[in-house]
Amino acid sequence: MESLKRKIETEGVGVGTEVVKVDMFLNHKIDVQLAVEMGQAFHEAFKDDQVDAILTVEASGIITGMTTAMAFGNIPVIFAKKGERRNIGNDVYTAEVYSFTHQKSNIIRVSRNYLKAGMRVLIIDDFLANGAAINGLISIVEEAGATLVGAGVCIEKGWQPGGDHLRGKGVKLVSLAICDRIEDGKIICRD
Amino acid sequence: MESLKRKIETEGVGVGTEVVKVDMFLNHKIDVQLAVEMGQAFHEAFKDDQVDAILTVEASGIITGMTTAMAFGNIPVIFAKKGERRNIGNDVYTAEVYSFTHQKSNIIRVSRNYLKAGMRVLIIDDFLANGAAINGLISIVEEAGATLVGAGVCIEKGWQPGGDHLRGKGVKLVSLAICDRIEDGKIICRD
């Protein structure tokens, strides 16, 4: 998605060789027009896949989760909640997600009341690096007996293995921008 | 807002005398159509107030923060981040917010780069009970030298003091639904 790539390259800040800082338009101050366009791009990519619901994870996944759901005609969004405890009752699906950024594990959880067998689910998230969050969401979709339509991410870090791992598993993965590297604080996106 | 009140009364669950559980349409599974209508209702209430940006707090504030910003023609959303530490650098405004639900204090923070003096800010959040989150956001708006246009909340718990306290301070507060009490698991909204 050209407008997103240009935004990442002109406004994003690369820190060291690993950190893609885009909180000026994506995950602290939100460029709402861009978020709407990202939702439309995910809809364009998955519009023939009979999506029943969007599944994402709090907090910043909610942003494009919402705009994607709106592009699909206001289908429901379910967002997984994060916590530190695994034992929070039998009425939830859980998965353990290790965050390399924060160097700790979180448990994500989704109520069994809302994610049901047979639902066709599109996973949306803002970032894909090692794929921990999306793999956690996929395991929850599988545990629920729902059908994974695919996954859409705004920004994939191309030098980390999450994207290729998902493609290797046969997941329909749509990354709106893939960052290839950071050079002197500049983020370089793949054409 | 009639459709929200009916939704709370028909689908919401009251737990004990205090807990308003609406995660079936607001803060776990999202009824996106209703969220769009709530954004339109906030726009209707504040459309003559020259709003430059929406300020909310992660995670579930982002939902109607986004739809409100879209109703205003895609103005920016800034969402405060939550954490446990106060000392995270000089580039942020912080406020301490006590959560009665979770019985602990969080520090909320907003980057000084995004909230600027002179901006006209509308605060949006999903719940208003004791007003801790909204008062924290207001103190951040004041510290930034920005102008508080008002605050919009989806659901006000009428038996808790936050709403009347804000009105008493002269804040333009718009609550789309006010819950008056819980009776045998049913939530009763004010007409």
Side-chain angles (χ1 to χ4, degrees):
Chain A
M1 185 180 158
E2 212 52 36
S3 58
L4 175 62
K5 290 178 193 169
R6 293 297 85 83
K7 192 94 170 172
I8 294 167
E9 293 189 334
T10 56
E11 297 185 26
V13 175
V15 182
T17 56
E18 293 286 332
V19 177
V20 172
K21 190 167 142 55
V22 290
D23 66 359
M24 65 294 291
F25 65 86
L26 185 56
N27 44 24
H28 186 19
K29 178 182 174 185
I30 305 166
D31 181 327
V32 175
Q33 175 64 35
L34 182 67
V36 168
E37 290 168 17
M38 290 192 283
Q40 290 164 346
F42 288 133
H43 174 257
E44 183 60 30
F46 293 100
K47 66 178 189 294
D48 297 325
D49 293 308
Q50 297 158 20
V51 178
D52 293 320
I54 305 295
L55 178 65
T56 187
V57 57
E58 65 179 3
S60 45
I62 296 172
I63 299 161
T64 36
M66 284 296 293
T67 58
T68 305
M70 291 168 75
F72 273 93
N74 296 342
I75 61 175
V77 174
I78 301 164
F79 64 96
K81 304 207 171 193
K82 283 180 191 162
E84 292 180 6
R85 293 173 306 140
R86 181 172 280 280
N87 294 314
I88 44 166
N90 296 321
D91 58 341
V92 292
Y93 302 111
T94 60
E96 189 166 350
V97 172
Y98 183 76
S99 166
F100 290 84
T101 310
H102 300 102
Q103 297 193 353
K104 68 169 190 175
S105 279
N106 272 307
I107 304 297
I108 62 170
R109 60 180 193 275
V110 173
S111 168
R112 289 173 186 261
N113 292 324
Y114 309 138
L115 187 64
K116 297 286 193 184
M119 279 173 72
R120 295 178 59 82
V121 175
L122 171 60
I123 291 174
I124 295 287
D125 205 1
D126 55 345
F127 264 95
L128 171 61
N130 287 284
I134 290 185
N135 281 306
L137 290 170
I138 289 174
S139 79
I140 285 174
V141 169
E142 289 170 348
E143 195 184 348
T147 298
L148 178 70
V149 164
V153 299
C154 303
I155 301 177
E156 177 182 340
K157 286 175 159 182
W159 64 86
Q160 291 195 299
D164 287 339
H165 173 76
L166 287 169
R167 290 182 195 97
K169 286 206 303 186
V171 173
K172 178 176 174 179
L173 172 66
V174 173
S175 300
L176 299 184
I178 301 179
C179 301
D180 268 336
R181 62 192 186 281
I182 296 172
E183 284 178 3
D184 302 326
K186 298 276 288 180
I187 303 160
I188 314 293
C189 291
R190 194 172 302 176
D191 277 331
Chain B
M1 184 179 158
E2 211 53 36
S3 57
L4 175 62
K5 290 178 193 170
R6 292 298 84 79
K7 192 92 171 173
I8 295 168
E9 293 188 335
T10 55
E11 297 186 25
V13 175
V15 182
T17 56
E18 294 285 333
V19 176
V20 171
K21 189 167 144 55
V22 289
D23 66 359
M24 64 295 290
F25 65 86
L26 185 56
N27 44 25
H28 187 18
K29 179 182 175 184
I30 305 166
D31 181 329
V32 175
Q33 175 65 36
L34 182 67
V36 168
E37 290 169 17
M38 291 192 282
Q40 290 165 344
F42 288 133
H43 175 256
E44 183 62 29
F46 292 100
K47 66 177 188 292
D48 297 325
D49 293 308
Q50 296 156 21
V51 178
D52 295 318
I54 305 296
L55 178 65
T56 187
V57 59
E58 65 179 3
S60 46
I62 295 172
I63 301 161
T64 38
M66 284 296 293
T67 58
T68 305
M70 290 169 76
F72 272 94
N74 296 342
I75 61 175
V77 174
I78 302 165
F79 64 96
K81 303 208 171 192
K82 284 180 192 161
E84 293 181 3
R85 293 174 305 142
R86 179 173 281 280
N87 293 315
I88 44 167
N90 296 320
D91 58 340
V92 292
Y93 302 110
T94 59
E96 189 166 350
V97 172
Y98 184 76
S99 166
F100 290 85
T101 310
H102 300 104
Q103 297 194 352
K104 69 168 189 174
S105 280
N106 272 308
I107 304 297
I108 61 170
R109 62 180 191 276
V110 173
S111 167
R112 290 173 186 261
N113 292 325
Y114 309 138
L115 188 63
K116 298 284 193 182
M119 280 174 69
R120 295 179 59 82
V121 175
L122 171 60
I123 292 173
I124 295 288
D125 206 2
D126 55 344
F127 264 96
L128 172 60
N130 288 283
I134 289 185
N135 280 305
L137 290 171
I138 289 175
S139 78
I140 284 175
V141 169
E142 289 169 347
E143 196 185 348
T147 298
L148 179 70
V149 163
V153 298
C154 302
I155 302 177
E156 177 182 341
K157 287 174 158 182
W159 63 86
Q160 291 195 298
D164 288 340
H165 172 76
L166 287 169
R167 290 183 195 95
K169 288 206 301 185
V171 172
K172 178 176 173 180
L173 172 66
V174 173
S175 300
L176 299 183
I178 301 178
C179 301
D180 268 335
R181 61 195 186 280
I182 295 172
E183 284 179 4
D184 302 326
K186 298 275 289 180
I187 302 160
I188 314 292
C189 291
R190 194 172 300 176
D191 277 332

